[in-house]
Amino acid sequence: MYVLISVLIMIVCILLVLIVLVQNSKGGGLAANFSSQNQMMGVRKTADFLEKATWTLAVGLLVLSLAASMTIPRDKGQNRSVIEEQIDNAVNPNEAPSAFPTAVPESNTEE
């Protein structure tokens, strides 16, 4: 499921980039090429469509990102990092051991 959502996110990102590149910041862009009066979609309708498509893709990207974060595959303790294992195996410094593991030197009694 996570892979499917990731692929959909990539498709939405590519479409969003293309839609934004088609637009012009001053209202021109693709809409400026359709200035003929006999067109079914005029200049204003093209700009409206591009704006609605941009907002729709942006909301879709947000929803897909949230869905992807909920479907991330999580291992339950199987692939733990070395640091987490060291933290779990660490000795509490407040609990001192009763006998320290030190080597006692052998005494040579041959005097």
Side-chain angles (χ1 to χ4, degrees):
M1 186 71 178
Y2 178 72
V3 174
L4 174 68
I5 293 175
S6 297
V7 170
L8 288 175
I9 287 174
M10 293 303 294
I11 292 171
V12 168
C13 287
I14 292 170
L15 289 174
L16 188 60
V17 166
L18 292 175
I19 292 283
V20 169
L21 287 177
V22 166
Q23 295 177 10
N24 189 359
S25 62
K26 297 180 182 178
L30 183 64
N33 295 333
F34 297 117
S35 60
S36 173
Q37 293 296 330
N38 60 1
Q39 297 258 336
M40 188 167 141
M41 243 170 80
V43 175
R44 184 68 191 153
K45 292 190 183 224
T46 303
D48 288 342
F49 170 75
L50 291 175
E51 183 178 353
K52 287 179 184 178
T54 303
W55 281 107
T56 303
L57 287 172
V59 170
L61 181 62
L62 176 69
V63 170
L64 285 173
S65 297
L66 291 173
S69 70
M70 287 187 264
T71 60
I72 292 176
R74 292 176 171 79
D75 292 334
K76 297 197 172 30
Q78 294 173 352
N79 293 331
R80 299 179 57 187
S81 70
V82 175
I83 296 174
E84 289 176 344
E85 289 177 7
Q86 288 179 353
I87 290 172
D88 289 341
N89 296 334
V91 177
N92 188 356
N94 295 329
E95 298 174 4
S98 60
F100 291 103
T102 57
V104 178
E106 294 182 18
S107 63
N108 197 353
T109 57
E110 293 184 20
E111 285 184 33

